Amino acid sequence: MPISRRFAALLIAATTAAAAFAAAPPSQAADKVLHTYLTTSETGLDPAVASDLASLSVLENLFDPLLRYDYLQRPVALRGNTAAGLPVTGEHGLTYTFKLRPGIYFTADPAFKGQQRELTAADYVYSLQRLYDPALKSPWLSLFEGKIAGDEALKQNFSYATRIAGLQAIDRYTLRIRLSKPDNNFLFYLATPAAGVVAREVIDAYPGQAGNHPVGTGPFMVGEWKRSDKIVLLANPQASPKPLLDRVEIKIAEEFQGRVLGFLKGDYDYLEQVPESMTDMVISNGKLKSDLAARGMQLTRFPVLQTYYMWMNMEDSVIGGYTKEKVALRRAIALSYNSEEDISLLKKGFALRAESPLPPNVLGYDPAYRSPVSYNKAMAQALLERFGYRQRDADGFRRGPQGEALTLNMHSEATVGGRLRDELWRKNLNAIGLRVAFKTDKKPEIIKASRLGKVQMFESNWIADFPDGDNFYQLLYGPNSGRANYARFNLPAYNQRYEQARALPDSPARQALYGEMNQLIHAYNPWVPLTHPISADIRHPWLKNYVRHPVELTTWRYLDIDVDQRQRALQRQ
């Protein structure tokens, strides 16, 4: 549909929405309701298990970690959450002692048999133990495994009855964690959604179904949940501090066009990371279009701690392995990627070329580093010729070194953006004589298959769980294969340097190791680093207190809505 017709339809829909809003009963109109969306379906709401962005975005509002980030402080800094403040450290950074705030309660659930259930230090012991439970296969275990003193006992013969020296409830409100060796990022781990606290009674009451019965102490609780469609969060009346909003209504909006049109109608109060394919609809010459600015909308640019990359399965029979011909195939694929075309055409200029896994503003990022593998079609073709991919089939596509048929299989999201990326990859790969086929599916399903090693290639992205380079380089650490290491890259030289680097604070010595790790990535090409997005964010004028945070996924607990202003604005449309 032409843009003008879209806007005509949009205006009709906006008028209808405004009329419905104006006709709502006064009691409903007075509620402060945030209208927002998730870009993919949630998978489940268990802090120990979920790793997709949609689920984590909800989880960080339902469950409380010991620490959270200060909302406004930059550079980012941690503060106490359920803990009364930052911990007391001892033994040269080996021990952390937390004092919990009394009077924090889990939201009501039949598992508590009608009793108010107060949060205690023992709940954090149990919640962290769950990450080691082999039945859960937690993708977050790598953050803690081998770091908490005595945790090998949990790995060897797991039991919740096992007590270890590094994880102790000293009394009802005192938690002590002891590390086997110092870890400069350990407090960051305790601010992730995975470290959110759960109650054992709830987990035991719903065996194997904890992700369907989220019961936490966070600022919100689940009021309504229609899987892959809608989630309604209600303000937790027992939260301290209480959120300013009464309710958060979340829709699953996988299609880019639906998100943008929904925002313009007022269905959503803000739009984060305007989709590349829709940028021209709302932005002109790098600025918000004048008619939208006249409605009070505001555009901000936000450098996301995020890296887009295309990973290749190192255990796949076609594309994996460490032999010269397989390395040459992956290198040629990396050389075929045209970053300038990606940034200008797909991302509309709102991105930077990724030279390494690290985005700007992450500790360890080197602004001077440049990748030795950049777009070079001629070199890609020469590599393929030299290492045996010379023969062509009847359609002109290259065969394998033994003359076998060769087709690359790339998974893809079934969205407009996914299809646009498919076409760019098809163009790039066909240009060097490689045939590629695409298998579309929803991202959560692709991630599940990736962990099982059943995906050959996929363009994915990683947003920092904490603002340190370790969070990105662990994505290629061999022992993380089957978890966050979807490429299943397992190179001893890389693993050794990663282990050395994670023991060091941010320093020239660590940065030198990161540089060597970059060279190994570019030598073996388990990844093609693509871009670091610059998010174009737009918000309506009735949304208050909105500031993007570099690490936390949502800001819902800080936001406010001017209900009267929203109603007047919709009536004027």
Side-chain angles (χ1 to χ4, degrees), residues 176-238:
R176 180 170 296 158
I177 300 177
R178 189 176 192 277
L179 305 184
S180 54
K181 55 185 177 182
D183 186 322
N184 300 291
N185 291 314
F186 190 74
L187 292 184
F188 287 140
Y189 310 157
L190 296 178
T192 61
V197 66
V198 300
R200 183 166 187 170
E201 300 97 308
V202 175
I203 305 301
D204 291 345
Y206 309 104
Q209 296 294 317
N212 298 325
H213 298 275
V215 178
T217 61
F220 295 96
M221 56 188 183
V222 174
E224 179 184 352
W225 184 7
K226 295 181 180 178
R227 282 186 171 275
S228 302
D229 179 30
K230 180 181 180 180
I231 304 172
V232 177
L233 303 184
L234 305 178
N236 179 1
Q238 300 183 107

Side-chain angles (χ1 to χ4, degrees), residues 79-187:
R79 59 169 177 79
N81 183 40
T82 54
L86 295 177
V88 175
T89 59
E91 297 183 82
H92 304 288
L94 286 179
T95 62
Y96 298 90
T97 303
F98 297 87
K99 287 290 186 181
L100 301 186
R101 293 188 289 114
I104 300 174
Y105 295 93
F106 287 93
T107 56
D109 189 86
F112 301 134
K113 304 184 187 312
Q115 301 296 311
Q116 259 199 328
R117 173 62 159 79
E118 188 180 23
L119 169 67
T120 70
D123 293 317
Y124 277 105
V125 172
Y126 172 73
S127 299
L128 292 175
Q129 279 183 311
R130 290 189 73 230
L131 302 177
Y132 291 82
D133 189 334
L136 298 180
K137 295 182 173 60
S138 175
W140 301 95
L141 178 58
S142 62
L143 294 182
F144 299 90
E145 184 179 17
K147 299 172 185 178
I148 298 179
D151 70 353
E152 61 273 8
L154 294 173
K155 290 290 293 178
Q156 292 169 1
N157 187 21
F158 180 82
S159 169
Y160 286 104
T162 301
R163 296 290 174 260
I164 62 173
L167 196 54
Q168 296 182 342
I170 304 303
D171 57 40
R172 186 172 181 82
Y173 302 116
T174 306
L175 173 71
R176 180 170 296 158
I177 300 177
R178 189 176 192 277
L179 305 184
S180 54
K181 55 185 177 182
D183 186 322
N184 300 291
N185 291 314
F186 190 74
L187 292 184

Side-chain angles (χ1 to χ4, degrees), residues 135-391:
L136 298 180
K137 295 182 173 60
S138 175
W140 301 95
L141 178 58
S142 62
L143 294 182
F144 299 90
E145 184 179 17
K147 299 172 185 178
I148 298 179
D151 70 353
E152 61 273 8
L154 294 173
K155 290 290 293 178
Q156 292 169 1
N157 187 21
F158 180 82
S159 169
Y160 286 104
T162 301
R163 296 290 174 260
I164 62 173
L167 196 54
Q168 296 182 342
I170 304 303
D171 57 40
R172 186 172 181 82
Y173 302 116
T174 306
L175 173 71
R176 180 170 296 158
I177 300 177
R178 189 176 192 277
L179 305 184
S180 54
K181 55 185 177 182
D183 186 322
N184 300 291
N185 291 314
F186 190 74
L187 292 184
F188 287 140
Y189 310 157
L190 296 178
T192 61
V197 66
V198 300
R200 183 166 187 170
E201 300 97 308
V202 175
I203 305 301
D204 291 345
Y206 309 104
Q209 296 294 317
N212 298 325
H213 298 275
V215 178
T217 61
F220 295 96
M221 56 188 183
V222 174
E224 179 184 352
W225 184 7
K226 295 181 180 178
R227 282 186 171 275
S228 302
D229 179 30
K230 180 181 180 180
I231 304 172
V232 177
L233 303 184
L234 305 178
N236 179 1
Q238 300 183 107
S240 177
K242 292 181 176 62
L244 299 172
L245 299 168
D246 298 304
R247 194 162 74 247
V248 179
E249 295 190 355
I250 310 160
K251 292 288 291 180
I252 309 303
E254 295 183 339
E255 287 293 339
F256 294 161
Q257 187 178 42
R259 290 178 221 160
V260 176
L261 294 178
F263 169 76
L264 294 174
K265 286 194 299 181
D267 292 345
Y268 306 126
D269 296 316
Y270 61 92
L271 181 68
E272 287 185 346
Q273 207 152 335
V274 173
E276 301 98 337
S277 60
M278 307 296 291
T279 301
D280 292 341
M281 192 173 183
V282 292
I283 295 172
S284 178
N285 298 320
K287 296 181 180 180
L288 196 63
K289 286 195 170 181
S290 57
D291 58 327
L292 303 183
R295 289 165 56 183
M297 298 180 192
Q298 295 182 16
L299 169 68
T300 56
R301 287 174 173 78
F302 180 78
V304 187
L305 302 188
Q306 183 177 16
T307 298
Y308 277 84
Y309 59 99
M310 195 276 285
W311 57 262
M312 293 173 271
N313 186 345
M314 296 293 287
E315 296 177 0
D316 181 79
S317 60
V318 173
I319 207 169
Y322 298 82
T323 58
K324 289 182 179 179
E325 69 274 10
K326 296 301 179 69
V327 171
L329 176 59
R330 293 193 301 273
R331 176 78 60 81
I333 291 170
L335 289 167
S336 78
Y337 168 66
N338 189 335
S339 61
E340 288 188 9
E341 193 171 17
D342 184 1
I343 292 171
S344 64
L345 296 183
L346 297 190
K347 298 183 173 62
K348 305 298 181 181
F350 284 84
L352 302 171
R353 170 180 158 80
E355 306 289 346
S356 78
L358 293 194
N361 301 317
V362 166
L363 294 174
Y365 171 74
D366 181 359
Y369 181 81
R370 293 293 179 269
S371 168
V373 182
S374 57
Y375 176 58
N376 192 322
K377 177 181 170 182
M379 185 178 290
Q381 291 176 316
L383 265 177
L384 293 171
E385 292 288 327
R386 179 177 178 183
F387 288 94
Y389 301 87
R390 302 184 190 91
Q391 297 183 46

Side-chain angles (χ1 to χ4, degrees), residues 14 62 156 193 237 257 447 499 534 544:
L62 301 177
Q156 292 169 1
Q257 187 178 42
I447 296 302
E499 290 166 359
I534 298 173
K544 308 302 179 184

Side-chain angles (χ1 to χ4, degrees), residues 431-453:
I432 61 171
L434 295 176
R435 184 197 303 273
V436 59
F438 296 91
K439 180 179 180 180
T440 59
D441 205 342
K442 291 187 175 182
K443 189 170 184 178
E445 296 305 314
I446 298 174
I447 296 302
K448 289 178 185 177
S450 300
R451 288 184 181 145
L452 296 173

